[in-house]
Amino acid sequence: MNNLIFKDDQFASKVLGLLGDTSFKAADIGEVVSTAEKIKEGDYQSWCEEWTKTAKRLQKVAEDSYSDGHLISARKAYLRASNYYRIAEFYLHENPENPKIDELYNASLDCFSHVMKLNKPVIEEVKIPYENTTLTGHFYKLEDSEEPKPVLIAMTGFDGTKEAFCGMAMDALEHGMHCIAFEGPGQGEAVHKQQLFFRHDYEKVITPVVDYLLTRKEVDPKKIVLWGQSLGGYLAPRAAAFEHRLAGCIANGGVYDFLGGFTSIFNMPREEFLNFALSDSEGFNKAVKEKVELNSKAKWSFSHGMYVFGVNTPAEFILKVGDFYMKGLAEKIQCPTLIVDSENDKLLRDQARQLYEEITCYKDFILFTAEEGAEFHCQAGAKLIANERIFSWIEKILRNM
């Protein structure tokens, strides 16, 4: 099912994800299919050009709707335009100096700013104090919230954005909880605007987010739930191992060892792989270059990874990735924890079960399957069933408190 239009797994998975975004009105089936059919197989430039054209067209539709006083239609078109600009920029990070990166990213933010203004309930932009700066977040507030209510922290991973969590946040409101979607170092605005790069000790990021939430009177301080998506499936459990004010933690999908996604490319044991990068960086970089020329997904992973980790070589990147490891930490988690896996997750294969086995507090495990049509990474294309099941787990945890 994944290869609907493209033979290339990389492009195919992104298109499936966009089709899934239709569940939240962040894409439309006809727009996605017609755009994808114009893209050359495996061609990053073609990908960027076609999604940019579609985004610009939708932005014009939104602007015209707004000018004519059709505010609901404008909001909907702006949301899709924002999403298409985001995906147009996705494969550009091989050349960090490419001016299109900022151009398209800023266009995506601009379109979403209109979504925020036109949305009811209002989406509030917030600044979260973090070290010597602030992190940007979106706070989705329940209407008529007179008494403190639960709040969901929605955290993305290796390549996501806070804007992409709009649909999840709306689901959270339906389930009776506020939601804050934010970006930490290595993600979204933090990396694009502030050059804050990924760090492995994400408790240093989540603790300030919790501190901030505790300043808001509409938040129940005992009902703060953390949801990490994709690489967030490492970042969230890592944070929960040290930040014990959380009422629950979700890892979708669970990541035990981020390095495992890279050692598998070389079929090399963990320590040997790290030692290769450390002791012979020149040979390692050459070996990576040869490998990635044969594997488009690996090529993107290294180029994007160097961009969001703020390094210049594959060896530097891998040595940092080696720290994203839950060994000896999973047993420190104290809050109820849900580990999510997907049957055909090629990015994080076998990681979730390994993480689950080492957690010693109350825990649950959900496996999404091909029979359900939800077997791909983070249930791409199947967000309705995924969110239904995960939000039901959150409700169960909160009711039992």
Side-chain angles (χ1 to χ4, degrees):
M1 185 179 79
N2 196 15
N3 300 87
L4 293 170
I5 295 172
F6 296 106
K7 295 176 183 175
D8 182 90
D9 280 349
Q10 188 175 207
F11 279 13
S13 64
K14 288 297 160 205
V15 168
L16 183 62
L18 284 166
L19 290 171
D21 288 341
T22 61
S23 302
F24 305 127
K25 300 180 182 178
D28 204 1
I29 293 172
E31 289 167 356
V32 172
V33 172
S34 64
T35 304
E37 286 179 338
K38 297 169 190 166
I39 296 170
K40 298 173 187 173
E41 187 83 42
D43 187 319
Y44 288 172
Q45 183 176 343
S46 175
W47 177 274
C48 179
E49 287 175 356
E50 296 303 333
W51 287 115
T52 300
K53 288 178 189 174
T54 299
K56 285 184 175 179
R57 180 173 58 79
L58 264 293
Q59 184 176 13
K60 179 68 165 55
V61 169
E63 290 167 350
D64 290 346
S65 295
Y66 185 83
S67 297
D68 292 340
H70 306 305
L71 303 187
I72 294 172
S73 296
R75 185 193 75 222
K76 292 179 178 179
Y78 273 125
L79 179 59
R80 302 202 307 283
S82 176
N83 201 21
Y84 298 145
Y85 275 126
R86 176 189 66 83
I87 207 69
E89 186 261 348
F90 194 82
Y91 292 113
L92 298 181
H93 298 163
E94 192 170 7
N95 174 16
E97 304 303 316
N98 188 336
K100 283 184 180 290
I101 293 175
D102 283 343
E103 177 189 329
L104 295 172
Y105 182 71
N106 289 337
S108 179
L109 288 186
D110 180 60
C111 286
F112 197 82
S113 72
H114 291 284
V115 175
M116 293 171 67
K117 292 172 190 172
L118 295 169
N119 206 74
K120 292 187 183 301
V122 174
I123 308 169
E124 178 189 350
E125 181 173 286
V126 298
K127 297 294 185 182
I128 302 160
Y130 166 75
E131 296 190 346
N132 296 318
T133 183
T134 58
L135 302 174
T136 304
H138 294 157
F139 192 87
Y140 295 74
K141 183 180 176 181
L142 287 164
E143 291 185 286
D144 304 321
S145 177
E146 294 183 4
E147 59 184 60
K149 294 290 177 67
V151 63
L152 177 68
I153 303 172
M155 178 171 59
T156 188
F158 189 51
D159 54 36
T161 66
K162 62 188 180 303
E163 291 77 25
F165 277 133
C166 184
M168 179 196 289
M170 292 301 174
D171 275 358
L173 296 178
E174 275 196 279
H175 285 269
M177 61 190 80
H178 310 293
C179 182
I180 185 168
F182 86 101
E183 292 158 339
Q187 302 170 334
E189 286 192 58
V191 69
H192 278 87
K193 303 292 187 183
Q194 301 184 71
Q195 286 73 55
L196 295 176
F197 303 110
F198 266 117
R199 58 188 297 173
H200 71 281
D201 52 348
Y202 237 66
E203 67 276 8
K204 301 288 179 58
V205 180
I206 292 300
T207 287
V209 176
V210 174
D211 289 341
Y212 167 77
L213 289 172
L214 294 179
T215 68
R216 299 193 64 125
K217 65 181 186 306
E218 63 265 66
V219 168
D220 186 333
K222 294 182 179 178
K223 294 185 177 180
I224 299 173
V225 177
L226 175 62
W227 180 330
Q229 192 91 340
S230 193
L231 180 57
Y234 159 82
L235 304 175
R238 164 76 198 209
F242 297 91
E243 173 51 76
H244 295 146
R245 293 174 292 178
L246 298 170
C249 177
I250 299 106
N252 183 17
V255 182
Y256 183 75
D257 181 10
F258 186 35
L259 191 65
F262 297 91
T263 56
S264 61
I265 299 170
F266 286 78
N267 195 25
M268 193 179 290
R270 187 180 208 281
E271 294 309 317
E272 184 180 337
F273 191 59
L274 285 172
N275 187 57
F276 184 15
L278 182 63
S279 62
D280 183 11
S281 59
E282 188 175 331
F284 183 87
N285 294 333
K286 183 179 179 183
V288 168
K289 185 177 180 181
E290 291 172 357
K291 283 281 187 184
V292 301
E293 290 303 322
L294 304 173
N295 185 323
S296 63
K297 187 167 285 188
K299 183 178 183 180
W300 172 81
S301 295
F302 274 97
S303 62
H304 178 75
M306 289 187 287
Y307 178 79
V308 293
F309 275 74
V311 296
N312 297 315
T313 68
E316 291 176 279
F317 168 55
I318 286 300
L319 290 173
K320 287 185 176 291
V321 168
D323 291 331
F324 287 61
Y325 195 25
M326 285 299 293
K327 185 175 182 181
L329 296 174
E331 59 265 34
K332 296 180 184 291
I333 300 172
Q334 297 178 8
C335 64
T337 300
L338 174 64
I339 304 299
V340 180
D341 200 3
S342 303
E343 195 173 47
N344 193 24
D345 191 334
K346 295 178 181 178
L347 295 178
L348 302 171
R349 193 183 303 279
D350 301 326
Q351 296 260 349
R353 179 60 68 176
Q354 194 172 4
L355 176 59
Y356 175 80
E357 295 297 342
E358 293 203 13
I359 293 172
T360 56
C361 62
Y362 177 86
K363 59 186 178 181
D364 283 309
F365 189 90
I366 294 177
L367 175 66
F368 288 97
T369 66
E371 184 179 3
E372 300 165 318
E375 73 270 33
F376 298 113
H377 180 63
C378 294
Q379 305 83 54
K383 289 304 180 186
L384 293 180
I385 187 174
N387 283 8
E388 287 161 14
R389 203 166 294 172
I390 296 171
F391 274 105
S392 292
W393 183 87
I394 294 172
E395 287 180 341
K396 178 183 75 171
I397 293 303
L398 295 179
R399 284 172 185 164
N400 290 334
M401 289 184 65

